[in-house]
Amino acid sequence: MPKLHPDRLFPADPTTRAVARALYQSIAELPIISPHGHCDPSWFSNNQRFIDPAQLFVTPDHYVYRMLVSQGLTLDQLGVARADNTTAETDPRKIWRLFADNYHLFRATPSQMWLDYAFENIFGIDEPLNSSTADLYYSHIEHCLGQDAYRPRALFERQNIELLATTESALDTLEHHAAIQDSDWSGRVITTYRPDSVVDPDFEGFSDNLQAFGAITGQDTQNWQGYLAAHKARRVFFKNHGATASDHGHPSACTADLSPRQAEQLFTKICSGDFTADDAEIFRGQMLTEMAKMSLEDGLVLQIHPGSIRNHSSQIFQSHGRDKGFDIAQRTDFATALRPLLDAVGMEPDLTVIIFTLNESAYGRELAPMAGVYPALKLGPPWWFFDSPEGIRRFRESTTETCGFYNTVGFNDDTRAFCSISARHDVARRSDCAYLAHLVSTARLDVNDAHEVAYDLAYGLAKSAYRL
Amino acid sequence: MPKLHPDRLFPADPTTRAVARALYQSIAELPIISPHGHCDPSWFSNNQRFIDPAQLFVTPDHYVYRMLVSQGLTLDQLGVARADNTTAETDPRKIWRLFADNYHLFRATPSQMWLDYAFENIFGIDEPLNSSTADLYYSHIEHCLGQDAYRPRALFERQNIELLATTESALDTLEHHAAIQDSDWSGRVITTYRPDSVVDPDFEGFSDNLQAFGAITGQDTQNWQGYLAAHKARRVFFKNHGATASDHGHPSACTADLSPRQAEQLFTKICSGDFTADDAEIFRGQMLTEMAKMSLEDGLVLQIHPGSIRNHSSQIFQSHGRDKGFDIAQRTDFATALRPLLDAVGMEPDLTVIIFTLNESAYGRELAPMAGVYPALKLGPPWWFFDSPEGIRRFRESTTETCGFYNTVGFNDDTRAFCSISARHDVARRSDCAYLAHLVSTARLDVNDAHEVAYDLAYGLAKSAYRL
Amino acid sequence: MPKLHPDRLFPADPTTRAVARALYQSIAELPIISPHGHCDPSWFSNNQRFIDPAQLFVTPDHYVYRMLVSQGLTLDQLGVARADNTTAETDPRKIWRLFADNYHLFRATPSQMWLDYAFENIFGIDEPLNSSTADLYYSHIEHCLGQDAYRPRALFERQNIELLATTESALDTLEHHAAIQDSDWSGRVITTYRPDSVVDPDFEGFSDNLQAFGAITGQDTQNWQGYLAAHKARRVFFKNHGATASDHGHPSACTADLSPRQAEQLFTKICSGDFTADDAEIFRGQMLTEMAKMSLEDGLVLQIHPGSIRNHSSQIFQSHGRDKGFDIAQRTDFATALRPLLDAVGMEPDLTVIIFTLNESAYGRELAPMAGVYPALKLGPPWWFFDSPEGIRRFRESTTETCGFYNTVGFNDDTRAFCSISARHDVARRSDCAYLAHLVSTARLDVNDAHEVAYDLAYGLAKSAYRL
């Protein structure tokens, strides 16, 4: 068996597999729409070579290093930067060897499938990665990275990416996006408005961030109206750098719809620093509704990513800072939490709110029933750990019967692991085709309809939902 | 592929499919027991023709219009009556065309399968419904509806219905059931006692309802003993109109077992109108236990349908009223909530309590373990959005190992979409046979036992559990 | 079809089935590691014959009698001892006949598969059990039990058990383990430290238990330091009787990490008897962290079994006492609950904490993400009702993609039904091989890797995780 089997992820039953293969073949070459992710725009503005194999595949990929840490390796051994920006292990060959020595840990994980895809399709290596091939891999990848064909813009094109959205803080200058726009390169890299650092009172440095938010917009951000105006101004600025969406990562799906006066009073309390956890929660919830109302004006799609406990390990947060693989989901309720927002704007046909979840229990119980009736609400694809063959299967099986395909929005790769983008879309396309083939072979979906749906899931829905 | 494939919903593996087909063939012609649903009994007392195709298939079916609304059509455009009983769109052909134009939205949903079944098996149309066939469909169905063979009683018989239970408010006169009983028609249409409007203090018009409850029973329904006596009287009245069950739609599964004195004090508080949300919750919970105790006397089966947030959109509730497709489930816990009732009566072998849920997380964790030990408790079939191939599969996979087949009660169609009844039972029978075939092909169930179980799931269990 | 099909539980697709069969054949004969269970060590110290078929298969197996009770039989009819140690039905033939008459209730349950396996593989009976074969079964099993080959030690060997861990209270004398150690029998039966009765303030007789705990250790167990020292002493004693693990059955997964002074104050309050439900919860949670810290010293593996509401029926608890099949799971959250313990010791590579759950919703949302990053945390196998083909499938499908195979710990039978041990391990091995074959046939796992993983899941991981 070659490392990448041409029929991988297709159902084993021969008849169903043939249907899946035909569906996949009809959409496999479609360009990639990546409307939500975390690549660094400077890669494309500067187009500098990637530094080394470890910094390409290991240190930026929390899926990779979290698994290694779970078996006793340390972030320091793996060269993951500390909170003070120092790095303990600086020899990329050592890091790569640790990774290779432990590659069996990734058996049957999506990481293995993504990595193998990139190794084979981007770097042309079809031997398995293990201790004995570690050096061969390292040398070969290092050699490639020195070539122009492996610079960011070339890999963007090689991966057949039509559009890539990155995500920037509300305080970002967007200089790299401006540089890309001003360059002669035709790749389409757009930003996304992510205002958590000036919306979440519990964010590190929130008070300072508000100050900076005022400075960057010229608004009085200690004043409710000025604060809202600052958001509106930044949304315009982000739109001018390509943004078609905002994104909001909140601990819960709580929304609120306070009266203007209540909202103003709450904001004053938040600014004073003398607020409770409940105040912060309601303020975040109110801001989702405010953002939805701004979306009705400026057309930005509103994305909500709730339910992750960020930085679960205080020890790692102190030593290594945010986003080091220690984000754990918690139960998140939606039916009650989203009601204030949906009561305010849920029936607006011109608004698009895309909701994601890490709580699969809510797929069929709450999210599909809501997306299946509120015109403004759409379901984001399976998120984070569920961006996987089994995760995608459960998502489709739990939501399609209640909200159909057309209240979903295609795939998001949501990654900062650049070389995994084409791999992730390939897994999603194969997984969706496997699901569609299963529907066809059990006579729940006409095969011609299945071809239309396959196209929509791979390409059409992402373009239309994100207004691209 | 014909629109309805003869092997639809059977597993793709040829060996397993053959087992499923054989199981299905042995039970496909069994008459339908429909022990829980929402058809209008006046259809069968008056036997008037159905008005038009839109009023048969679109306006009464919240599965249908909710999906259309989710993509931006309005209830007004679809001719769904407003709260003031006016209807915006009165041209059924226009409504039908909107429905047909958007029929692709239903791909891979159970609605599509139910509708296609009715179109083909009841109306003899085997072309796909879409914009180009919309008028053909309309004219053909309209033509049929004018014929005697398409009047309600004829369709009842055509659908091979042995028994149909409807659901009426505690305040209903049951005149249509009386008329059916007095008619020369032999179809068995029975009622079900649904006292939510006089049990739930949060129900619209609860106080007036209590008055009417007193008037209709001659009891002092402001007095706890009189109130209980009124229920007992109405239960007798409903039994005389065929009822074998009561039904209770509560926001949660909360039950209570107060002392008589506490219950009386709580009732007094409820009657005063000066009560908290907790009081209302406990009162509803206490009434479930009271109803269970009455069931021990009069033999009615107690059905509990908890966990739906009714009328989730305030906007739609104001414009169009109750039950317009905006009911969303919420997390519902059972293990703690049902404990008071089960402690009071759960060990009674002569009591049958049937519990439904929209919270699939509770199937394996709470409901199957409880139904697998308490003699009084049985699991209702997958409810509402889970009355579907995937929903039925998950239900069986999550419950059978812990409570077996014999603590479940067969299928409920739970519908007011009359022409979908045979379609829904067909989907349920096929889905159960698919599951049983899977057990047979993995040697977890003897094939002869599977035939017995198939019969029980399709027919026997509903008759015995509902005491029909 | 013979009662036990050689390909039972393998996928129906022929290609996948062949892979599953090959995987299974390579591990089917491996000896059984049973690192967590509830067998009675006196069986092996005394090696007395089992009393009769009913006392072997019916009265000790809550899976069996709970299903019979769910259909109206009583614990008294089934000869299950009352709280006062009397037994209503004392004729084992009558009990056996009730069991046989109702054996159809177990269709498609794991109990049926386990029982049929024991009947066929241990007792050589391959006819189905039912009313007509009841007496034949009884006489044959009774005849066998009188032979030396059916005494406990012989059955231990016949079942190919390499190691069996039992579970004893902190107050146990471990005399049977000592006797086994001193005997000339080479079977390895070890104990496990289970201190719930002296850790859980809500345990019956907690205060008396604390006294006994002091008496047995010579420590002042009314004093926090003395109480901790008593645990340390007992842990040493248990280790001397083979223990490699402790086990903790708590109502929730709550953990705490109080300061020494806070912990001492809380303990004083608990000892006074004047404490709240919250105090008890935090105390249990603090003790998990204390135990984890002791594990860092003495190397015992820490097992946490949270989330069961014990003795759900007050009526049965009063009449028949603890552990009579009326334990029902409830929703259990982990991400927040385990954080204090994980913050204290979760990054310790030399600690092993094994977490179990009855709440499958947490597999993918909380448990796999945590086990996939914290070096100290491993996932226990599917527990209790989920120790079944479907339960094992859902466990693997929900966890593997996020935490891989190597953060899981193999299988636990967790049983007191001795003759089911080999049956349960066989079901687990077959179910895991079915899952692995599915991964191979969809090209997510190399077949050679699958063989390695099959070995690890069946044997290697249990040995290493439990330090055996």
Side-chain angles (χ1 to χ4, degrees), chain A residues 174-380:
Chain A
L174 304 185
E175 59 188 318
H176 297 293
H177 289 84
I180 296 166
Q181 284 178 318
D182 292 345
S183 77
D184 57 1
W185 182 56
S186 65
R188 194 168 165 208
V189 177
I190 65 176
T191 184
T192 303
Y193 185 57
R194 175 86 173 223
D196 296 357
S197 64
V198 294
V199 157
D200 178 0
D202 295 329
F203 206 95
E204 308 95 88
F206 175 71
S207 181
D208 292 344
N209 296 341
L210 270 195
Q211 298 278 1
F213 196 44
I216 207 166
T217 57
Q219 297 289 342
D220 176 4
T221 52
Q222 299 295 309
N223 167 291
W224 176 235
Q225 292 306 326
Y227 174 74
L228 294 178
H231 278 293
K232 287 177 191 172
R234 291 306 283 168
R235 291 168 65 101
V236 168
F237 182 73
F238 272 66
K239 279 187 72 172
N240 290 340
H241 290 76
T244 69
S246 68
D247 183 39
H248 307 270
H250 287 195
S252 81
C254 170
T255 65
D257 188 24
L258 304 177
S259 71
R261 192 167 156 197
Q262 289 172 314
E264 183 164 6
Q265 287 171 339
L266 177 58
F267 182 70
T268 304
K269 198 169 177 194
I270 294 294
C271 287
S272 76
D274 183 21
F275 57 84
T276 66
D278 272 358
D279 291 332
E281 179 78 346
I282 296 169
F283 182 72
R284 286 186 295 261
Q286 177 64 21
M287 285 310 298
L288 289 178
T289 307
E290 297 291 345
M291 289 286 155
K293 288 177 178 169
M294 291 182 200
S295 286
L296 277 170
E297 300 290 323
D298 63 21
L300 290 188
V301 169
L302 179 77
Q303 299 174 95
I304 308 177
H305 282 89
S308 178
I309 303 178
R310 306 278 172 169
N311 316 309
H312 191 267
S313 166
S314 309
Q315 184 180 332
I316 296 295
F317 183 59
Q318 281 168 25
S319 63
H320 288 77
R322 292 178 69 84
D323 298 331
K324 291 297 175 291
F326 283 81
D327 299 336
I328 308 295
Q330 59 186 329
R331 185 170 56 73
T332 314
D333 293 317
F334 293 91
T336 302
L338 291 180
R339 203 171 180 179
L341 183 147
L342 291 172
D343 254 348
V345 297
M347 298 305 297
E348 296 288 346
D350 295 332
L351 175 67
T352 300
V353 176
I354 301 177
I355 183 92
F356 296 79
T357 189
L358 294 168
N359 180 10
E360 296 181 292
S361 302
Y363 281 162
R365 184 179 69 209
E366 303 171 43
L367 292 179
M370 287 196 285
V373 72
Y374 281 104
L377 193 67
K378 299 282 175 284
L379 296 194

Side-chain angles (χ1 to χ4, degrees), chain B residues 25-250:
Chain B
Q25 282 169 351
S26 73
I27 54 106
E29 302 303 322
L30 286 173
I32 287 173
I33 303 294
S34 174
H36 179 94
H38 297 276
C39 286
D40 185 339
S42 73
W43 295 338
F44 309 106
S45 59
N46 299 333
N47 202 30
Q48 303 262 327
R49 64 158 276 176
F50 288 105
I51 297 175
D52 62 50
Q55 291 196 49
L56 187 63
F57 281 113
V58 181
T59 55
D61 190 340
H62 55 78
Y63 290 84
V64 168
Y65 59 69
R66 77 193 312 279
M67 181 67 94
L68 299 171
V69 166
S70 78
Q71 290 283 314
L73 299 179
T74 65
L75 290 176
D76 280 350
Q77 286 176 290
L78 295 166
V80 176
R82 291 180 178 159
D84 62 5
N85 277 320
T86 62
T87 306
E89 178 56 69
T90 56
D91 181 348
R93 278 195 179 266
K94 279 196 187 162
I95 296 165
W96 187 265
R97 178 162 281 286
L98 282 176
F99 170 49
D101 288 347
N102 289 283
Y103 196 60
H104 65 283
L105 299 177
F106 296 96
R107 283 171 180 166
T109 66
S111 292
Q112 182 190 34
M113 192 163 273
W114 299 331
L115 289 161
D116 285 351
Y117 183 98
F119 295 154
E120 183 163 330
N121 282 5
I122 298 182
F123 291 94
I125 315 177
D126 59 7
E127 290 188 72
L129 177 62
N130 54 42
S131 300
S132 66
T133 59
D135 286 342
L136 180 149
Y137 260 79
Y138 188 90
S139 303
H140 180 79
I141 295 172
E142 172 58 29
H143 171 76
C144 289
L145 293 182
Q147 301 176 22
D148 284 350
Y150 288 85
R151 287 182 186 266
R153 291 179 181 180
L155 288 180
F156 185 102
E157 289 153 13
R158 173 105 68 97
Q159 292 190 79
N160 196 19
I161 299 172
E162 177 177 319
L163 175 135
L164 180 73
T166 66
T167 304
E168 274 72 42
S169 151
L171 302 176
D172 198 282
T173 61
L174 303 185
E175 58 188 318
H176 296 293
H177 289 84
I180 296 167
Q181 284 178 316
D182 292 345
S183 77
D184 57 1
W185 183 55
S186 65
R188 194 168 166 207
V189 177
I190 65 175
T191 185
T192 302
Y193 185 58
R194 175 86 174 224
D196 295 356
S197 65
V198 293
V199 158
D200 179 1
D202 295 329
F203 206 95
E204 310 95 88
F206 174 72
S207 181
D208 292 345
N209 296 341
L210 270 196
Q211 298 278 358
F213 196 45
I216 206 168
T217 56
Q219 297 288 343
D220 175 4
T221 53
Q222 300 294 310
N223 168 291
W224 176 234
Q225 291 306 326
Y227 173 73
L228 294 179
H231 278 293
K232 287 177 191 172
R234 291 306 283 169
R235 291 169 65 102
V236 168
F237 182 73
F238 273 66
K239 279 187 72 173
N240 290 339
H241 290 75
T244 69
S246 68
D247 183 38
H248 308 271
H250 287 195

Side-chain angles (χ1 to χ4, degrees), chain C residues 178-443:
Chain C
I180 296 166
Q181 285 179 316
D182 292 344
S183 77
D184 56 0
W185 182 55
S186 65
R188 194 168 165 208
V189 177
I190 65 177
T191 185
T192 303
Y193 185 58
R194 175 86 173 223
D196 296 356
S197 64
V198 292
V199 158
D200 179 0
D202 295 329
F203 206 95
E204 310 96 89
F206 175 71
S207 182
D208 292 345
N209 297 340
L210 271 195
Q211 298 278 358
F213 196 44
I216 206 167
T217 57
Q219 296 289 341
D220 175 4
T221 53
Q222 301 294 310
N223 167 291
W224 176 235
Q225 291 307 327
Y227 173 74
L228 294 178
H231 279 293
K232 287 176 190 170
R234 291 307 281 168
R235 292 168 65 103
V236 168
F237 182 72
F238 273 66
K239 279 188 73 173
N240 290 340
H241 291 76
T244 70
S246 69
D247 183 40
H248 308 270
H250 287 194
S252 82
C254 170
T255 64
D257 188 24
L258 305 178
S259 71
R261 190 167 157 197
Q262 289 171 316
E264 182 163 7
Q265 287 171 340
L266 177 58
F267 181 70
T268 303
K269 200 169 177 195
I270 294 294
C271 286
S272 77
D274 183 21
F275 58 84
T276 66
D278 272 358
D279 291 332
E281 179 78 346
I282 295 169
F283 182 72
R284 286 186 295 261
Q286 178 64 23
M287 284 310 297
L288 290 178
T289 307
E290 298 292 345
M291 289 286 156
K293 288 177 178 171
M294 291 182 201
S295 287
L296 278 170
E297 301 290 322
D298 63 22
L300 290 187
V301 169
L302 180 76
Q303 299 174 95
I304 308 176
H305 282 89
S308 178
I309 303 178
R310 305 279 171 169
N311 317 308
H312 192 267
S313 166
S314 309
Q315 184 179 331
I316 295 295
F317 182 59
Q318 281 167 26
S319 63
H320 287 77
R322 292 177 69 84
D323 298 333
K324 290 299 175 291
F326 282 81
D327 298 337
I328 309 295
Q330 60 185 331
R331 184 171 57 71
T332 314
D333 294 316
F334 293 90
T336 302
L338 292 181
R339 203 171 182 179
L341 183 146
L342 291 172
D343 255 348
V345 296
M347 298 305 295
E348 295 288 346
D350 295 332
L351 175 66
T352 300
V353 177
I354 301 176
I355 184 92
F356 296 79
T357 188
L358 295 168
N359 180 10
E360 294 181 293
S361 302
Y363 281 161
R365 183 179 69 209
E366 303 171 44
L367 292 178
M370 286 195 285
V373 73
Y374 280 104
L377 193 67
K378 299 281 174 285
L379 296 193
W383 182 31
W384 207 320
F385 299 117
F386 306 121
D387 162 9
S388 62
E390 297 294 339
I392 290 168
R393 178 180 62 78
R394 288 197 296 268
F395 174 76
R396 293 288 175 209
E397 288 179 355
S398 299
T399 63
T400 306
E401 293 184 326
T402 296
C403 73
F405 295 109
Y406 295 96
N407 289 305
T408 66
V409 302
F411 182 67
N412 285 183
D413 54 72
D414 194 13
T415 193
R416 66 195 76 228
F418 182 47
C419 286
S420 78
I421 288 179
S422 47
R424 288 168 187 256
H425 283 261
D426 187 66
V427 166
R429 288 171 179 190
R430 288 173 177 273
S431 299
D432 277 337
C433 288
Y435 172 69
L436 294 173
H438 178 61
L439 294 177
V440 169
S441 74
T442 54

Side-chain angles (χ1 to χ4, degrees), chain C residues 28-290:
Chain C
E29 302 304 321
L30 286 173
I32 289 173
I33 303 293
S34 174
H36 179 93
H38 297 276
C39 286
D40 184 338
S42 73
W43 296 337
F44 309 106
S45 59
N46 299 331
N47 201 30
Q48 304 261 325
R49 64 159 276 178
F50 289 105
I51 296 174
D52 60 52
Q55 291 196 47
L56 187 63
F57 283 113
V58 181
T59 54
D61 190 339
H62 56 78
Y63 290 84
V64 168
Y65 59 70
R66 77 192 310 278
M67 180 67 94
L68 299 171
V69 165
S70 79
Q71 291 282 315
L73 299 178
T74 65
L75 290 176
D76 280 349
Q77 287 176 289
L78 295 165
V80 176
R82 291 180 177 158
D84 63 5
N85 277 319
T86 62
T87 306
E89 178 56 67
T90 55
D91 180 348
R93 278 196 180 263
K94 279 196 187 162
I95 296 166
W96 186 264
R97 178 162 281 285
L98 281 175
F99 170 48
D101 289 347
N102 289 283
Y103 197 61
H104 65 285
L105 298 177
F106 296 97
R107 283 173 180 166
T109 66
S111 292
Q112 181 190 34
M113 191 163 273
W114 299 331
L115 289 161
D116 285 351
Y117 183 98
F119 295 154
E120 184 164 330
N121 282 4
I122 298 183
F123 291 94
I125 316 176
D126 59 8
E127 289 187 73
L129 176 62
N130 54 43
S131 300
S132 67
T133 59
D135 286 341
L136 179 149
Y137 260 78
Y138 188 90
S139 302
H140 180 79
I141 295 172
E142 172 58 28
H143 172 75
C144 289
L145 293 182
Q147 301 177 20
D148 283 350
Y150 288 86
R151 288 184 185 263
R153 290 180 181 179
L155 289 180
F156 185 101
E157 288 153 14
R158 174 107 66 99
Q159 292 189 80
N160 196 19
I161 298 172
E162 177 176 322
L163 175 135
L164 179 74
T166 65
T167 304
E168 275 71 43
S169 151
L171 303 177
D172 199 281
T173 59
L174 303 185
E175 59 188 317
H176 297 294
H177 290 83
I180 296 166
Q181 285 179 316
D182 292 344
S183 77
D184 56 0
W185 182 55
S186 65
R188 194 168 165 208
V189 177
I190 65 177
T191 185
T192 303
Y193 185 58
R194 175 86 173 223
D196 296 356
S197 64
V198 292
V199 158
D200 179 0
D202 295 329
F203 206 95
E204 310 96 89
F206 175 71
S207 182
D208 292 345
N209 297 340
L210 271 195
Q211 298 278 358
F213 196 44
I216 206 167
T217 57
Q219 296 289 341
D220 175 4
T221 53
Q222 301 294 310
N223 167 291
W224 176 235
Q225 291 307 327
Y227 173 74
L228 294 178
H231 279 293
K232 287 176 190 170
R234 291 307 281 168
R235 292 168 65 103
V236 168
F237 182 72
F238 273 66
K239 279 188 73 173
N240 290 340
H241 291 76
T244 70
S246 69
D247 183 40
H248 308 270
H250 287 194
S252 82
C254 170
T255 64
D257 188 24
L258 305 178
S259 71
R261 190 167 157 197
Q262 289 171 316
E264 182 163 7
Q265 287 171 340
L266 177 58
F267 181 70
T268 303
K269 200 169 177 195
I270 294 294
C271 286
S272 77
D274 183 21
F275 58 84
T276 66
D278 272 358
D279 291 332
E281 179 78 346
I282 295 169
F283 182 72
R284 286 186 295 261
Q286 178 64 23
M287 284 310 297
L288 290 178
T289 307
E290 298 292 345

Side-chain angles (χ1 to χ4, degrees), chain A residues 40-50 147-161 164 176-189 418:
Chain A
D40 184 338
S42 73
W43 295 337
F44 310 105
S45 59
N46 300 331
N47 202 31
Q48 304 262 326
R49 64 158 276 179
F50 289 105
Q147 301 176 21
D148 284 350
Y150 288 85
R151 286 183 186 265
R153 291 180 181 178
L155 288 180
F156 185 102
E157 288 152 15
R158 174 106 66 98
Q159 291 190 80
N160 196 20
I161 299 172
L164 179 74
H176 297 293
H177 289 84
I180 296 166
Q181 284 178 318
D182 292 345
S183 77
D184 57 1
W185 182 56
S186 65
R188 194 168 165 208
V189 177
F418 182 47

